Amino acid sequence: LHDPRSNSIGALLAHIAAIEVAYQCSTFEQRKLSDAEHARWGAALDLGERGRREIRGRGLDHYVGLLDEVRTHTLQELARRDDAWLEETTPFWGGQPANNYVKWFHVLEDEINHRGQIRWLRQRLPGG
């Protein structure tokens, strides 16, 4: 951790995967996370103190494995859909309408942001 309020690189990687899982549920299955999914991904979704407490002690391979698992599922599901699906609109933040294109753009935007944080953290590691 860079400082007491930071998230670890592992927590950020887990967060990227967790956000994608949440959007898989929302857009592919039109549902919220189940209790079991929330138990598995909740700390990574929340980050902060909970993430610092619960997401620790695992190597990079663990987090890369999570990302691979989640992204494989996303790509399989996207391959099953056409461009008309991207335009389907449902309520989103604050009940405002948004299409699936905007929702998945948000997923990628979130990942890009956290990749920047990871790069910043890596540059500050000893020997980095």
Side-chain angles (χ1 to χ4, degrees), residues 6 9 11 24 45 60 67 78 80 100 104 110-111 122:
S6 294
I9 291 172
Q24 289 171 353
L45 287 170
L60 179 61
L67 291 165
L78 288 173
R80 297 177 54 225
N100 289 319
W104 280 95
D110 187 72
E111 179 174 338
R122 286 182 63 207

Side-chain angles (χ1 to χ4, degrees), residues 23-41:
Y23 278 82
Q24 289 171 353
C25 293
S26 173
T27 62
F28 300 147
E29 301 176 31
Q30 295 78 47
R31 66 176 180 83
K32 296 183 182 211
L33 292 173
S34 68
D35 290 343
E37 290 163 332
H38 206 316
R40 179 178 182 194
W41 298 104

Side-chain angles (χ1 to χ4, degrees), residues 34-63:
S34 68
D35 290 343
E37 290 163 332
H38 206 316
R40 179 178 182 194
W41 298 104
L45 287 170
D46 295 343
L47 290 178
E49 185 55 40
R50 181 176 178 198
R52 285 186 289 279
R53 186 176 61 251
E54 296 180 25
I55 304 172
R56 40 188 324 109
R58 300 218 165 139
L60 179 61
D61 288 345
H62 169 78
Y63 301 105

